[in-house]
Amino acid sequence: MTTDAPLDEIVAPCSPRSGARLALRPISIGRARVTGGYWARWQRDNRAVTTPHALRWLEKDGVLDNFRRLVDSSVTAERRGWVFCDSDLYKVLEGIGWDLSRGPSAELSAFVAHSVALLEQVQGDDGYLNTFVQAGLEQRYANLTRGHELYCAGHLIQAGIALTRTTGDESLLAIGRRFADHLVAEFGDGRRGDTDGHPEIETALVELYRHTRERDYLDLAKQLIDVRGHGVIGAGPFGPAYFQDTVPVRDQHTVVGHAVRALYLLAGVVDVYLETGEDALLHAAQSQWRSMVAEKTYLTGAVGSRFEGEAFGDRFELPPDLSYGETCASIAGIMLSWRLLLATGDGAYADLIERILYNAFSGSTSVSRDGFCYVNPLQRRSPRPAAPAGGKPLRTDAPGTRAEWFDVACCPPNIMRTIASLDGYLATTDDHGIQLHLYTPSSVHTELAAGEVAVSVATEYPEDGVIAVTVERSITQPWTLSLRVPSWCHRPALIVAGEHVPVERDARGYVVVERVWAPGDVVVLDLPMPARVTAAHPAVDAVRGQVAIERGPVVFCLESVGGELDLDTVELLVGGDLRVERDEELFGGTTVVRLDGRLRDDSAWQGVGWSDVSEIPASSGRPQEVTAIPYRLWANRGPSTMRVWVPAAHTG
């Protein structure tokens, strides 16, 4: 395997071709690069720590043996794992593919070559590939409700695309394409009227169409979207709404059912819109996204309020302690929001991506990068036992610390592929210039009609809100530099080439500067980020009367390790000072918020959990300074209690 693909040609993970339907165009990973800071450190750890960790677990879990046993008589172990665990390998391969864009690795390339050779042996003559079915445990497509055959195929295809785009090696893609051709022959042109219970194949087929220009792949993706919502999948254990199979996609106006499935489906819906121009698909996706953000999204960006069915709940059903908030659902939210950003140019989608990245997503992984959360609550009432060393708990166990792996191991490799491809979410381009969406040390190049332009970004964001953008290359004609002003920022300041200029945020949430740029010109966007107190919508009754602390894009929480603070009795004094400080002793150095609170005195209740309203004792307590840490860092010091939403007591 080689890594000789020119950086300029390493296309982004989502690369629509129908430019007329794009408000913004993605920039190839080779031309948009994270160069330092928080995300660069994570990308380095992704290769050095997380990927070797995942490869060990693929062996330990039997995922690779599931393939070997079909072609190697010396492997006598029975097939292990869930029906969909083939996808664990495929997502790891995709993550490796995007990671190889940052430089060669003999070890990773050897693993890819071994995997490709194995898959070539296992794949059937007609292109079919699924170890559960090929082990004789199910008939082909006999259990689409729960079988995940098309879901696994989608991840295989996406892994092949990633490796092709970063290394030029098409051997894995050839396997995925043979499977896709088989699916076209089996399902295409309405030969079957059903679809997989877990969406994912739709985005993969559209991206394969973009890569190959073979229309059959796009047509099949559209067909699989069209049939959903007509009761074709089956009820399963949670009913058809779990599968988004009660209302046709174009008629659905809120997100329902299994959160990951719902958002993967909508990502595919927007992909099909971008290639076909069917406005009804875009409008349906926008309507469901707006409903999700307004009524079904946690402060951290997490979604999915119910353990049962890993599902969205009713409107404003957002209990912090019972939150499911699956990591994969957060990743799916990024995928959907990015596609909607490309389609519309609306910065609200980038705002959500940022919220997810710095909170729900970042909190999913330990600071050591080898431990993971499957569920991501916003409150932990009592310390739970630490995740067992070398164990893989059930996803519903939600141990007190992050686990090495899970019985259902969808989240860790999904994290890997997201981190490896994060460069693709930094910036976009259009006919007029460059748009910066995520702020991190980075470099961005793009080609305009009159030539190449390039910028570099220097910042300590989100620790600090100063973003300095330097023009590295320019043209003689005017072009625009657009900088997202997050919705949480109310008093941004802007300096262009040494001059203060008024900040005029456009309707999409960006400050747009158009001029003839010269190399060396610097734009400084200052996003003041004092700590702030946040209240939830009053209909979210689970946290009514409570507040949360935010600073910039970061959500904070209170954490008590070893019972050092009783979080059941803490109240925050709203109206008091919020003191932003750097604590170099905590987690190797992090920003914290110190604020005044009190420990409520509940002794007057005398052990009774209720009282006549006329006899409720007056609230009292003793002062207590509390320290709020970034939510993403909780549970890194051992089992603990934690809460994002804290009861409020007013100072005046």
Side-chain angles (χ1 to χ4, degrees), residues 134-398:
Q134 289 173 275
L137 300 174
E138 185 62 84
Q139 298 298 311
R140 288 187 186 186
Y141 312 121
N143 185 17
L144 285 177
T145 304
R146 304 285 287 175
H148 290 70
E149 289 162 274
L150 275 63
Y151 168 86
C152 290
H155 279 301
L156 170 62
I157 292 165
Q158 289 180 318
I161 289 172
L163 282 158
T164 297
R165 287 178 175 173
T166 59
T167 71
D169 188 331
E170 297 188 357
S171 55
L172 184 61
L173 180 59
I175 297 170
R177 190 170 180 180
R178 285 195 292 271
F179 202 163
D181 290 340
H182 164 79
L183 293 176
V184 168
E186 183 76 19
F187 288 82
D189 293 327
R191 281 182 282 275
R192 290 185 65 123
D194 48 5
T195 187
D196 197 289
H198 199 309
E200 208 288 330
I201 185 64
E202 298 84 358
T203 56
L205 286 171
V206 175
E207 206 61 41
L208 186 59
Y209 158 73
R210 291 165 176 161
H211 192 80
T212 65
R213 306 304 290 167
E214 286 291 335
R215 179 77 188 197
D216 285 347
Y217 303 139
L218 176 61
D219 290 342
L220 180 55
K222 181 178 182 298
Q223 174 186 313
L224 296 176
I225 288 170
D226 290 344
V227 301
R228 192 177 293 270
H230 298 279
V232 300
I233 297 173
F238 303 110
Y242 169 87
F243 300 106
Q244 298 76 46
D245 197 30
T246 56
V247 178
V249 166
R250 295 163 183 80
D251 301 325
Q252 181 65 266
H253 300 296
T254 187
V255 283
V256 299
H258 188 281
V260 181
R261 298 172 198 242
L263 299 184
Y264 276 9
L265 175 63
L266 288 176
V269 166
V270 181
D271 273 335
V272 171
Y273 157 76
L274 288 170
E275 302 305 331
T276 67
E278 186 188 344
D279 288 337
L281 292 175
L282 176 63
H283 296 160
Q286 288 178 299
S287 176
Q288 292 189 49
W289 186 93
R290 287 192 294 266
S291 167
M292 176 184 75
V293 172
E295 303 169 343
K296 299 185 178 183
T297 298
Y298 286 94
L299 186 66
T300 59
V303 292
S305 58
R306 295 181 180 177
F307 271 65
E308 183 180 26
E310 303 179 299
F312 289 103
D314 294 329
R315 297 172 65 232
F316 304 112
E317 181 189 339
L318 295 167
D321 51 343
L322 301 178
S323 165
Y324 198 70
E326 183 181 340
T327 297
C328 285
S330 297
I331 293 169
I334 293 170
M335 293 168 55
L336 169 61
S337 298
W338 178 251
R339 287 159 171 79
L340 287 169
L341 177 63
L342 296 180
T344 68
D346 190 336
Y349 300 116
D351 280 356
L352 182 62
I353 291 172
E354 178 180 76
R355 179 172 292 275
I356 293 170
L357 282 172
Y358 283 111
N359 300 291
F361 178 81
S362 286
S364 71
T365 309
S366 66
V367 293
S368 59
R369 304 304 180 207
D370 56 2
F372 311 94
C373 286
Y374 192 106
V375 303
N376 294 275
L378 279 74
Q379 183 174 359
R380 179 59 54 81
R381 292 184 179 275
S382 59
R384 298 188 181 182
K392 50 171 191 170
L394 295 171
R395 59 197 185 280
T396 52
D397 285 347

Side-chain angles (χ1 to χ4, degrees), residues 83-107:
V83 62
F84 44 76
C85 68
D86 290 3
S87 65
D88 297 347
L89 171 61
Y90 302 151
K91 281 184 282 188
V92 168
L93 288 170
E94 183 185 352
I96 290 172
W98 296 122
D99 183 71
L100 287 173
S101 71
R102 271 173 285 280
S105 165
E107 294 80 9

Side-chain angles (χ1 to χ4, degrees), residues 490-513:
H490 302 298
R491 294 182 178 86
L494 187 69
I495 301 173
V496 179
E499 296 185 7
H500 287 269
V501 299
V503 176
E504 297 181 4
R505 187 172 3 198
D506 70 9
R508 295 178 176 182
Y510 293 78
V511 57
V512 180
V513 183

Side-chain angles (χ1 to χ4, degrees), residues 363 377 380 400 402 557 559 629-636 640 642:
R380 179 59 54 81
R402 293 166 182 80
C557 69
E559 183 183 31
I629 65 170
Y631 169 81
R632 68 178 182 269
L633 295 174
W634 86 281
N636 275 286
S640 62
M642 177 274 293

Side-chain angles (χ1 to χ4, degrees), residues 466-639:
V466 177
I467 300 107
V469 183
T470 301
V471 176
E472 303 291 350
R473 185 172 298 181
S474 191
I475 53 179
T476 57
Q477 292 87 352
W479 57 276
T480 62
L481 178 63
S482 301
L483 306 173
R484 181 177 60 90
V485 178
S487 58
W488 50 259
C489 184
H490 302 298
R491 294 182 178 86
L494 187 69
I495 301 173
V496 179
E499 296 185 7
H500 287 269
V501 299
V503 176
E504 297 181 4
R505 187 172 3 198
D506 70 9
R508 295 178 176 182
Y510 293 78
V511 57
V512 180
V513 183
E514 181 178 12
R515 57 182 280 157
V516 176
W517 300 93
D521 283 349
V522 178
V523 175
V524 178
L525 177 64
D526 188 355
L527 304 173
M529 49 173 65
R532 62 191 187 274
V533 177
T534 301
H537 190 290
V540 185
D541 49 9
V543 296
R544 192 177 297 129
Q546 301 181 43
V547 294
I549 305 301
E550 297 183 89
R551 178 177 179 263
V554 177
V555 174
F556 286 72
C557 69
L558 303 187
E559 183 183 31
S560 177
V561 181
E564 61 190 2
L565 184 65
D566 182 1
L567 296 188
D568 285 338
T569 64
V570 168
E571 296 178 338
L572 299 183
L573 298 181
V574 177
D577 291 335
L578 301 175
R579 300 174 290 280
V580 178
E581 299 177 7
R582 181 77 180 174
D583 190 330
E584 298 297 344
E585 301 299 320
L586 195 61
F587 306 107
T590 190
T591 297
V592 300
V593 178
R594 304 196 198 278
L595 61 159
D596 296 327
R598 69 182 183 186
L599 297 181
R600 190 179 58 248
D601 181 2
D602 291 341
S603 60
W605 288 85
Q606 297 179 343
V608 179
W610 53 88
S611 176
D612 186 297
V613 68
S614 64
E615 299 177 0
I616 293 176
S619 179
S620 63
R622 60 182 175 85
Q624 173 72 50
E625 182 183 69
V626 296
T627 299
I629 65 170
Y631 169 81
R632 68 178 182 269
L633 295 174
W634 86 281
N636 275 286
R637 296 176 289 173

